[in-house]
């Protein structure tokens, strides 16, 4: 027996689908993203130019990603001169993309070069933002984002209907909305995938993962993160709020209050990663991509706000573009000249001293006995270095000790928790309660496997125990790791 559905519902679903992906609009938001994203990527591309030889060529120490999967020749490795030329062309195509000159070609060329060069350096160039940015560049290249606010739109005027934008009558092209929808879905699914990964990571919910990250300068200096790492209860609340936001983002970010919350929380989240974790480029990439959630009506509202601030004259100021800029020959010539100038500039700068009278810059001399130490077994980690904190309290929240105190009544239960560092092995840990004379009152222990970062023990104060100052000692590997006083009254 086959189910039947009302024809009107079928048409409504189909029309909604058509409207969601194929409705036409002026591509304001994609044009803005086309301007912002390449400028953000230039922050990392330009500093890498001087290191092109060592990062991406056979003259240096390229680390192709495919090599990790047994495909050593998956991507050809260029020589030093070609690598410098490619990074130079990448920088100029990103600039061209932002300016909107031969927009589609510039974006796709930028995506290809950016992805190719990153794949040649899996040690430092490949990151989350580089992968995400490459996808954004491809989707922008498939869109009509160069139709407005671009050199192309000034070179190719057309008989389009006039619309009022930023308070000025102008001709505006329209384009189908599906590239913007794909960018929106990509953002939402990235967050959803990140959340499903965190759901399988116990250390995320106990704040250990985030806390250790904050305590290091693995990215850049993060003094606020080091300060906040001392408050695990705040980190736990932040962790739960972030994962809920990542799960629901793709479902609520399309309109109304849901979109306001999703984008507002997301902007706050990404901004906070700079002072807390020392991350800068990734938040700029993601916050720039949020403009894809603004449709034509939203951008026109922003336009009215810009007019109120007097920005409309600056945004609509006429710009003269020479006619030769429309030629494909001019575009190719700029790319060739850029690659040649980039190679020549690197030759003149001579970063490795190859043309110095004294010869190449010498490598630093290693200290005596360095190579003799390499074959040896690694030095054992001191037992005390495997432990981070020992806390005493009465309650756990998300696996972290709360209600810290060291005064308890007879017949009252309390908890002792040990926090270990990331590099500990499988541990047998004893936790003992000693009386004021140092005699053993209670002794408990457990095996803590290497994947766990916390261990807890529960004690119950015997009702017959005399009042006084007792102590909790933690022992491991035959050594006393920590001793904490406990008041019994």
């Amino acid at each position: 027996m086959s189910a039947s559905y009302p024809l009107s519902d079928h048409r409504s679903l189909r029309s909604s689908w058509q409207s969601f992906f194929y409705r036409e609009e002026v591509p304001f938001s994609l044009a803005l993203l086309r301007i912002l994203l390449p400028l953000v990527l230039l922050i990392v591309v330009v500093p890498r130019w001087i290191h092109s030889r060592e990062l991406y060529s056979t003259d240096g120490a390229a680390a192709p990603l495919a090599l990790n999967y047994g495909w050593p020749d998956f991507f050809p490795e260029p020589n030093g001169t070609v690598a410098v030329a490619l990074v130079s062309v990448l920088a100029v195509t990103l600039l061209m993309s932002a300016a909107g000159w031969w927009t589609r070609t510039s974006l796709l060329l930028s995506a290809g070069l950016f992805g190719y060069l990153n794949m040649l350096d899996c040690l430092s160039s490949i990151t989350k933002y580089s992968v995400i940015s490459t996808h954004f560049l491809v989707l922008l290249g498939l869109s009509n984002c160069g139709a407005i606010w671009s050199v192309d739109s000034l070179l190719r005027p057309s008989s389009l209907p006039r619309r009022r934008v930023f308070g000025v009558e102008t001709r505006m092209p329209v384009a189908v909305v599906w590239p913007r929808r794909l960018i929106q879905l990509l953002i939402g699914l990235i967050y959803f995938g990140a959340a499903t990964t965190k759901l399988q990571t116990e250390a995320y919910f106990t704040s250990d993962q985030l806390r250790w990250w904050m305590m290091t300068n693995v990215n850049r200096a993060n003094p606020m993160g080091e300060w906040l790492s001392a408050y695990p209860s705040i980190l736990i609340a932040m962790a739960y709020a972030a994962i809920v936001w990542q799960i629901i983002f793709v479902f609520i970010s399309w309109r109304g209050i849901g979109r306001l919350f999703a984008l507002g929380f997301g902007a706050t989240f990404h901004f906070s990663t700079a002072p807390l974790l020392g991350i800068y480029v990734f938040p700029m990439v993601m916050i720039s991509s949020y403009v894809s959630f603004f449709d034509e009506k939203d951008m026109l509202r922003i336009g009215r706000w810009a007019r109120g601030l007097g920005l409309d004259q600056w945004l609509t100021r006429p710009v003269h573009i020479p006619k030769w800029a429309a030629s494909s020959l001019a575009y190719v010539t700029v790319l060739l000249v850029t690659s040649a100038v980039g190679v020549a500039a690197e030759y003149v700068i001579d970063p490795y001293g190859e043309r110095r009278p004294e010869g190449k810059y010498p490598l630093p001399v290693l200290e005596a006995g360095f190579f003799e130490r390499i074959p040896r077994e690694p030095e054992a980690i001191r037992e005390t270095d495997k432990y981070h904190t020992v806390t005493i309290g009465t309650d756990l929240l998300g696996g972290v000790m709360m209600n810290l105190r060291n005064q308890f009544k007879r017949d009252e239960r309390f908890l002792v928790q040990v926090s270990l560092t990331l590099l500990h092995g499988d541990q047998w840990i004893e936790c003992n309660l000693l009386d004021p004379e140092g005699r053993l009152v209670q002794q408990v222990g457990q095996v803590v496997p290497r994947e766990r970062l916390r261990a807890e023990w529960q004690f119950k104060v015997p009702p017959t125990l005399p009042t006084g100052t007792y102590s909790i000692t933690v022992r491991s590997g035959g050594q006393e790791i920590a001793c904490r006083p406990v008041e019994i009254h």
Side-chain angles (χ1 to χ4, degrees):
M1 182 176 179
S2 60
S4 60
Y5 299 93
L7 185 59
S8 59
D9 291 347
H10 175 70
R11 287 178 177 174
S12 176
L13 179 62
R14 182 175 181 180
S15 62
S16 298
W17 180 268
Q18 292 284 342
S19 175
F20 184 78
F21 280 107
Y22 298 106
R23 176 171 53 85
E24 292 186 337
E25 66 174 9
V26 180
F28 290 118
S29 58
L30 291 188
L32 186 56
L33 178 57
R34 183 209 79 224
I35 295 170
L36 294 176
L37 180 61
L39 296 179
V40 170
L41 296 182
L42 282 171
I43 297 174
V44 294
V45 171
V46 171
R48 289 176 185 167
W49 172 82
I50 196 65
H51 304 288
S52 301
R53 285 181 181 269
E54 54 195 281
L55 293 177
Y56 308 119
S57 79
T58 54
D59 294 355
L65 179 66
L67 188 63
N68 299 330
Y69 300 94
W71 295 339
D73 301 318
F74 186 76
F75 284 114
E77 294 182 37
N79 60 35
T81 302
V82 174
V84 174
L86 291 177
V87 178
S88 303
V89 171
L90 172 59
V92 78
T93 53
L94 288 172
L95 280 174
M96 291 174 175
S97 299
W101 187 35
W102 286 79
T103 311
R104 195 184 302 273
T105 303
S106 297
L107 285 166
L108 295 178
L109 191 56
S110 297
L113 288 174
F114 192 59
Y116 168 64
L117 292 170
N118 286 328
M119 293 284 282
L120 292 178
D121 178 32
C122 69
L123 298 180
S124 59
S125 296
I126 283 189
T127 61
K128 290 185 293 185
Y129 72 77
S130 63
V131 177
I132 295 170
S133 299
T134 303
H135 284 77
F136 287 159
L137 290 172
V138 171
L139 292 174
L140 286 173
L142 298 177
S143 73
N144 196 26
C145 61
I148 59 172
W149 299 339
S150 65
V151 174
D152 292 344
S153 63
L154 297 174
L155 290 172
R156 301 165 190 168
S158 57
S159 56
L160 294 169
R162 299 184 68 85
R163 302 170 70 114
R164 192 171 187 83
V165 180
F166 299 125
V168 177
E169 289 289 340
T170 185
R171 300 185 186 278
M172 285 282 114
V174 294
V176 290
V177 74
W178 65 262
R180 184 166 71 85
R181 295 300 188 206
L182 292 182
I183 292 176
Q184 293 172 308
L185 288 170
L186 176 61
I187 297 169
L189 293 177
I190 287 170
Y191 288 145
F192 192 83
T196 57
T197 302
K198 292 182 177 71
L199 287 172
Q200 306 172 57
T201 308
E202 180 183 352
Y204 174 80
F205 294 98
T206 60
S207 78
D208 288 324
Q209 186 183 61
L210 189 58
R211 186 161 57 100
W212 288 113
W213 196 356
M214 287 179 170
M215 293 172 63
T216 66
N217 289 337
V218 66
N219 295 302
R220 291 176 181 83
N222 53 337
M224 286 190 63
E226 295 176 8
W227 168 77
L228 192 60
S229 66
Y231 301 91
S233 57
I234 298 177
L235 299 184
I236 291 174
M238 292 170 58
Y240 276 89
I243 199 170
V244 170
W245 161 72
Q246 288 181 327
I247 291 173
I248 66 176
F249 184 95
V250 72
F251 303 105
I252 68 170
S253 58
W254 304 101
R255 63 177 66 180
I257 299 298
R259 182 179 65 172
L260 183 63
F261 167 77
L263 299 185
F265 189 97
T268 304
F269 169 81
H270 286 296
F271 270 124
S272 66
T273 58
L276 296 181
L277 301 176
I279 302 175
Y280 295 97
V281 178
F282 181 62
M284 286 191 285
V285 168
M286 296 308 299
I287 292 173
S288 297
S289 69
Y290 282 2
V291 300
S292 63
F293 286 91
F294 300 140
D295 58 20
E296 180 181 345
K297 292 181 180 178
D298 297 319
M299 296 301 292
L300 290 176
R301 293 191 191 100
I302 295 173
R304 287 193 289 270
W305 170 79
R307 185 185 182 190
L309 295 179
L311 299 177
D312 56 316
Q313 296 181 1
W314 177 78
L315 291 169
T316 58
R317 183 179 299 171
V319 179
H320 174 70
I321 303 295
K323 294 297 183 183
W324 57 261
S327 169
S328 58
L329 179 62
Y331 182 78
V332 173
T333 300
V334 170
L335 296 183
L336 294 176
V337 170
T338 298
S339 62
V341 169
V343 171
E346 197 251 3
Y347 182 89
V348 172
I349 295 172
D350 193 16
Y352 308 103
E354 295 177 330
R355 286 165 289 281
R356 294 194 316 156
E358 305 88 346
K360 291 184 179 180
Y361 293 114
L363 294 174
V365 179
L366 297 175
E367 60 183 7
F370 177 81
F371 289 103
E372 287 75 8
R373 294 197 302 268
I374 292 179
R376 296 191 318 181
E377 291 293 326
E379 296 182 6
I381 301 174
R382 293 186 305 173
E383 199 68 24
T384 54
D385 290 339
K386 300 176 183 178
Y387 295 83
H388 183 246
T389 58
V390 175
T391 53
I392 302 174
T394 58
D395 300 292
L396 294 177
L397 174 63
V400 177
M401 184 69 72
M402 305 295 294
N403 191 23
L404 303 180
R405 58 191 178 98
N406 66 344
Q407 296 182 356
F408 304 97
K409 299 178 181 179
R410 294 188 185 92
D411 207 27
E412 185 178 4
R413 296 180 184 273
F414 65 91
L415 296 171
V416 178
Q417 184 178 67
V418 171
S419 175
L420 295 96
T421 62
L422 296 173
L423 299 179
H424 76 88
D426 298 331
Q427 303 283 116
W428 169 260
I429 307 176
E430 291 182 1
C431 188
N432 305 323
L433 176 63
L434 306 180
D435 66 11
E437 285 73 33
R439 294 186 295 254
L440 183 64
V441 178
Q442 292 184 16
Q443 181 181 36
V444 289
Q446 63 173 295
V447 174
V448 181
R450 64 192 63 195
E451 64 271 13
R452 286 186 58 192
L453 297 177
R454 294 180 185 272
E456 298 86 25
W457 296 269
Q458 182 175 216
F459 289 86
K460 183 178 180 181
V461 180
T464 58
L465 200 66
T467 61
T469 301
Y470 291 73
S471 58
I472 290 289
T473 62
V474 176
R475 297 181 61 85
S476 175
Q479 302 179 30
E480 183 177 299
I481 305 301
C483 181
R484 299 288 184 270
V486 175
E487 298 285 341
I488 304 296
H489 57 85

